Amino acid sequence: MKNDFRKMEDEMDRLATNMAVITNFSARISATLQDRHERITKLAGVHALLRKLQFLFELPSRLTKCVELGAYGQAVRYQGRARAVLQQYQHLPSFRAIQDDCQVITARLAQQLRQRFREGCSGAPEQAECVELLLALGEPAEELCEEFLAHARGRLEEELSSLETELGPSPPAPDVLEFTDRGGNGFVGGLCQVAAAYQELFAAQGPTGAQKLAAFARELGGRYFVLVERRLAQEQGGSDNSLLVRALDRFHRRLRAPGALLAAAGLSESATEIVERVARERLSHHLQGLRAAFLSCLTDVRQALAAPRLAGKEGPSLAELLANVSSSILSHIKASLASVHLFTAKEVSFSNKPYFRGEFCSQGVREGLIVGFIRSMCQTAQSFCDSPGEKGGATPPALLLLLSRLCLDYETATISYILTLTDEQFLVQDQSPVTPVSTLCAEARETARRLLTHYVKVQGLVISQMLRKSVETRDWLSTLEPRNVRAVMKRVVEDTTAIDVQVGLLYEEGVRKAQSSDSSKRTFSVYSSSRQQGRYAPSYTPSAPMDTNLLSNIQKLFSERIDVFSPVEFNKVSVLTGIIKISLKTLLECVRLRTFGRFGLQQVQVDCHFLQLYLWRFVADEELVHLLLDEVVASAALRCPDPVPMEPSVVEVICERG
C-alpha cells in the first residue's frame, strides 16, 4: 500500500501540471478569437434579419401561390406572421408597397373564402374552417356569426324537410324507431356540430352570441319536436309499448348532448315533457282499452245468454260466464300494467326523472289507470240499474245477477290483489294522496248491492205483470166454480223455481228460519175471511152487523208489518224473498181493485193455496208467505157480495190434482 500511494502522488502532480498548461493555452485561444466571435454574432443577426426581409419581399408571391393552390389556411398563417411587422414599418415606402400588395391579395382571399362559405356545398367542419380563417383575416365577427347561423339553418331545415316528407300521406310512414334514429343522426347530430363549432368560433362574442345560438336552437328544436310528436301520435293506437318506449329512449338520449351544449335553449326539458306527455296519453289509451275490454266481455255474456240452446247442448252456466269475465278482465289489467311498466325500466334513460319515479306511478298508473278502471267498471255496471222501461230495458236479468257477483268478488278479494300487484311493480315514491283500498271496496260493494236490488225488482216486476194481467183480464163475478188451479199460478211457480236455480249458481243459500212441520200441508181453512167471521161475528147481534172493513183494519194493527222493498242481502234466500214479496204484494193490490162473485172468491182461495204449497220453501220466513196470501184471500172476501169459502179438503184435492 505504501508503494501504491507514492506512485499515485506522482501521477497527481503530473496531472496538475498538465491542467495548468491546458488552461493557459485556452486563455490564449479565447483572447485571439474574441474579436472574431463578436463579428460572427453580428453576421448571424444580419442573416436572420435578411431572411425575414426576404420572407416579407416574397410574401405577395407566396400569398398568390397559396390562393391559386387553394391552400387558404397556409395563406392566412403567412399573413398573420407578417401583419405586425408590416403594420410597424408601414411608414417606409418599401414596406408600404408590400403591405398594399398583401392587402389586395388578402381581400381576394377573403372574397374566395366568403364565396366558398356562402355556397354551402361543403360540410359543417369545412364551413367552420372558412369562418375561422375569415376571423383570422380580421373580418367582422358579428356579421360572420349571422352568416354562420343562416347557413346552418339551411342545412338543418333540409333535415327537417326530409323528416316531414316521411310523415306525408303518400309514402308509408317509417318505423317509429327508424324515424327517431334518422332525426337523431341527421337533425340532432347536425345541431350538435353547429353548436360546438359556434361556441368555439364565437366564444369572444360573450352573452350576446350565446343568446343568438340559444334562440336559433330553440326555434329549430321546436319544429323538430312538432314532427316527432306527429310521428309518436301515430303510435297511440297500438297496444304494444315496447317499440314506442325504445324510440322515446333514443329520442331522449340523443338530446342529452345538445341539451348540455345549449342549456339556455331548454331542449332537454322539452324532450322530457314530450316523453311525459306520451306516457300520459298511453295511460289514457290503456284505460280506454280496459273499458272496451270490459264492454266486450259484457257483449259476449249477452250473446251467450241470448243464444238459443241447441238440441242436447246446454250453454255455459252463469258461474262459467262469471269466471270467464273475471279472468279476462284480470288478464287485460295485468297486460296493461306490464305494458306501462316499460316506461319505468332501469335501462330507459328517462326512467330516473322525477315524474316517472313519482307522479307517473301513483297518480298515473295506480289512480288514473287501475282505480279509474275499477270505478269506471262500477259506473258501467250501475248504469244497468238506470235502464228505462217497465222490465229494465234490454238488460237481461241474468246479466244484472252476474255483474252483482262480479262486483262482490272485487270487493272481497280482487281489488286488494290488483292494487297490491300495482304497488309492488311500481315502487311509489310520490307522497300524493291515493285512494285507500277500503274506499274502493266499499264502492264495489255498494255497486253489487244496487245491482242485486235491481235484479230483485226486475224479476219481481216480470212475475207481477203476469199476476196483474191474470187478475185484470178475468171476469170474477161470472166465473165458474173452480175445478183447477189457474195456469198463471203454475207459471209463477215455474218462474220462481227457475230464478232460484239461477241465483243459486252465483250466491250461497242463506239463512232460513226454522220451518214448521206442516208447511207444505197447510190449507186455507183459516184465512182472514173465515177467521174474521169466526172471531168477531159471535160478538155482535144480527141486528148490528159488523163492518168488515173495520175488522180488516183492526186485524192489520196486530199483524206484523211487511216491508216489501227491504234491503237485499247477498244470498239466495234474501233474493227470492224480495221477488216473492213484490209478486204477492202486486197480487194483493190487484185483488183490492176487483169485485168477486162466490166462485171468484173460491178460485182465489184455490190459487193462493197452490202458491202456498210451493213458495214457502223459497223464502227466509214461511210466515211471510202465509201472511201475504192470507191478506189476498181476505181482501177478495171483503170484495165479495156472497163470501162462501170452499171447504179446505176440496181446495187440497184441486191443488194436488193441479
Side-chain angles (χ1 to χ4, degrees):
M1 290 179 64
K2 288 181 180 180
N3 294 333
D4 290 340
F5 276 109
R6 189 178 297 111
K7 183 178 180 180
M8 186 180 295
E9 186 177 355
D10 294 340
E11 290 179 354
M12 291 298 292
D13 290 340
R14 288 196 298 271
L15 180 60
T17 303
N18 292 336
M19 287 299 295
V21 173
I22 292 171
T23 302
N24 187 23
F25 186 69
S26 176
R28 289 202 306 271
I29 292 174
S30 296
T32 303
L33 297 178
Q34 180 66 32
D35 296 336
R36 295 182 181 180
H37 182 269
E38 293 177 357
R39 289 170 60 192
I40 290 172
T41 302
K42 290 180 181 180
L43 289 173
V46 171
H47 182 264
L49 180 59
L50 289 174
R51 288 181 59 190
K52 291 180 180 179
L53 291 173
Q54 183 182 5
F55 174 78
L56 290 175
F57 287 119
E58 294 177 355
L59 181 60
S61 61
R62 290 191 180 193
L63 291 178
T64 302
K65 187 175 182 180
C66 288
V67 172
E68 291 175 352
L69 295 176
Y72 302 120
Q74 185 66 38
V76 172
R77 284 192 292 273
Y78 285 159
Q79 173 67 14
R81 286 171 58 186
R83 181 183 301 154
V85 176
L86 293 175
Q87 283 289 115
Q88 183 178 357
Y89 297 103
Q90 63 180 343
H91 59 281
L92 298 176
S94 57
F95 286 93
R96 180 67 180 178
I98 295 173
Q99 186 182 27
D100 292 342
D101 292 343
C102 289
Q103 285 179 348
V104 172
I105 299 171
T106 303
R108 189 166 70 251
L109 172 61
Q111 184 179 3
Q112 291 187 11
L113 286 173
R114 281 185 177 275
Q115 183 66 26
R116 183 183 179 194
F117 176 65
R118 286 168 182 166
E119 288 175 355
C121 57
S122 55
E126 289 79 4
Q127 289 201 338
E129 182 184 2
C130 289
V131 174
E132 185 178 7
L133 295 177
L134 288 170
L135 288 172
L137 290 175
E139 295 293 313
E142 186 173 353
E143 182 181 344
L144 290 174
C145 169
E146 296 291 342
E147 290 190 16
F148 180 81
L149 291 180
H151 286 292
R153 179 187 298 275
R155 294 197 309 274
L156 294 177
E157 284 181 344
E158 288 180 3
E159 295 289 347
L160 293 176
S161 299
S162 176
L163 292 176
E164 190 169 10
T165 303
E166 293 180 356
L167 292 177
S170 50
D175 182 87
V176 65
L177 192 60
E178 182 182 351
F179 182 85
T180 52
D181 281 342
R182 289 182 186 176
N185 296 331
F187 175 80
V188 179
L191 184 61
C192 287
Q193 290 181 353
V194 170
Y198 183 94
Q199 291 177 348
E200 183 178 353
L201 293 172
F202 303 105
Q205 292 295 302
T208 304
Q211 291 174 2
K212 288 182 180 179
L213 180 61
F216 170 83
R218 193 180 301 114
E219 178 193 352
L220 292 178
R223 292 171 57 184
Y224 171 64
F225 292 150
V226 170
L227 295 177
V228 171
E229 287 194 275
R230 280 177 55 190
R231 182 61 188 87
L232 293 174
Q234 299 177 9
E235 297 294 313
Q236 293 301 315
S239 58
D240 185 15
N241 286 343
S242 57
L243 191 64
L244 178 63
V245 171
R246 288 173 59 195
L248 289 173
D249 180 39
R250 294 192 185 179
F251 164 73
H252 189 268
R253 284 180 190 274
R254 200 59 200 262
L255 282 162
R256 283 180 176 177
L261 284 172
L262 304 165
L267 298 180
S268 293
E269 292 78 3
S270 298
T272 302
E273 289 176 3
I274 289 175
V275 174
E276 293 176 1
R277 190 154 51 245
V278 171
R280 292 189 186 96
E281 291 172 353
R282 292 307 296 171
L283 288 175
S284 176
H285 172 76
H286 281 288
L287 177 58
Q288 296 301 324
L290 290 177
R291 290 172 176 170
F294 178 60
L295 293 177
S296 176
C297 289
L298 296 187
T299 302
D300 294 341
V301 171
R302 283 175 175 269
Q303 292 176 350
L305 294 175
R309 300 289 182 258
L310 299 177
K313 292 185 179 180
E314 284 292 329
S317 67
L318 278 182
E320 293 174 347
L321 291 175
L322 175 64
N324 293 338
V325 170
S326 183
S327 63
S328 177
I329 294 174
L330 191 58
S331 65
H332 279 92
I333 290 176
K334 289 182 177 180
S336 296
L337 286 177
S339 187
V340 298
H341 189 261
L342 296 172
F343 284 94
T344 61
K346 292 182 179 179
E347 63 272 12
V348 177
S349 61
F350 50 78
S351 62
N352 59 348
K353 296 294 180 181
Y355 171 74
F356 288 99
R357 294 174 66 86
E359 184 182 348
F360 176 79
C361 297
S362 63
Q363 301 303 312
V365 177
R366 190 187 192 278
E367 293 297 300
L369 181 61
I370 302 303
V371 175
F373 168 67
I374 293 174
R375 283 181 165 161
S376 172
M377 187 179 72
C378 291
Q379 291 172 0
T380 301
Q382 287 190 28
S383 67
F384 291 108
C385 299
D386 305 325
S387 37
E390 293 185 349
K391 297 185 179 180
T395 305
L399 180 61
L400 297 172
L401 188 66
L402 184 145
L403 287 175
S404 70
R405 184 69 221 192
L406 178 67
C407 292
L408 187 64
D409 289 344
Y410 265 69
E411 184 264 338
T412 54
T414 311
I415 289 177
S416 177
Y417 169 74
I418 293 174
L419 290 182
T420 301
L421 182 66
T422 304
D423 292 339
E424 289 176 353
Q425 290 189 15
F426 298 86
L427 300 176
V428 178
Q429 300 179 3
D430 190 15
Q431 300 302 319
S432 302
V434 295
T435 305
V437 176
S438 58
T439 301
L440 212 56
C441 289
E443 294 177 9
R445 187 175 185 85
E446 175 63 18
T447 301
R449 185 195 63 77
R450 286 191 59 186
L451 286 164
L452 196 60
T453 301
H454 191 61
Y455 173 81
V456 169
K457 291 180 180 179
V458 170
Q459 294 287 48
L461 195 58
V462 171
I463 298 177
S464 297
Q465 292 300 321
M466 289 193 299
L467 292 172
R468 182 176 65 84
K469 290 179 181 178
S470 72
V471 173
E472 292 178 350
T473 57
R474 189 179 184 90
D475 185 2
W476 294 97
L477 285 172
S478 58
T479 187
L480 300 177
E481 184 177 359
R483 290 289 181 265
N484 292 297
V485 179
R486 288 192 300 147
V488 67
M489 299 303 167
K490 300 177 183 178
R491 177 68 183 275
V492 168
V493 173
E494 291 174 358
D495 288 359
T496 305
T497 304
I499 294 173
D500 179 74
V501 173
Q502 187 181 70
V503 177
L505 294 173
L506 299 181
Y507 282 100
E508 305 297 331
E509 179 71 21
V511 179
R512 302 177 187 270
K513 288 188 177 180
Q515 311 294 337
S516 62
S517 58
D518 61 342
S519 297
S520 60
K521 300 293 184 181
R522 176 174 176 173
T523 64
F524 283 82
S525 59
V526 287
Y527 269 101
S528 299
S529 57
S530 58
R531 284 207 301 266
Q532 288 171 1
Q533 294 172 359
R535 290 181 183 177
Y536 297 109
S539 304
Y540 299 91
T541 61
S543 59
M546 184 63 180
D547 185 357
T548 54
N549 286 329
L550 178 62
L551 291 176
S552 175
N553 292 332
I554 292 174
Q555 185 188 11
K556 288 180 181 178
L557 292 176
F558 294 95
S559 63
E560 182 180 354
R561 180 179 179 274
I562 298 174
D563 186 3
V564 177
F565 296 102
S566 58
V568 181
E569 298 179 1
F570 297 105
N571 59 70
K572 184 175 72 171
V573 170
S574 178
V575 172
L576 268 295
T577 300
I579 294 173
I580 291 173
K581 282 194 298 184
I582 293 174
S583 304
L584 296 184
K585 184 67 174 177
T586 301
L587 177 62
L588 173 62
E589 297 303 324
C590 292
V591 166
R592 284 175 175 170
L593 298 177
R594 310 295 293 179
T595 303
F596 297 85
R598 177 188 300 179
F599 295 141
L601 171 62
Q602 293 178 2
Q603 183 66 61
V604 171
Q605 188 179 358
V606 170
D607 292 345
C608 289
H609 181 66
F610 180 80
L611 292 178
Q612 180 267 334
L613 285 175
Y614 294 98
L615 295 186
W616 68 269
R617 69 194 68 201
F618 297 119
V619 297
D621 184 5
E622 65 182 69
E623 191 63 27
L624 180 132
V625 175
H626 301 328
L627 289 175
L628 284 172
L629 292 175
D630 264 350
E631 198 166 351
V632 170
V633 177
S635 295
L638 289 174
R639 288 155 183 80
C640 178
D642 184 19
V644 179
M646 181 178 285
E647 288 297 325
S649 58
V650 179
V651 172
E652 290 181 6
V653 170
I654 293 175
C655 290
E656 289 174 1
R657 188 174 65 230

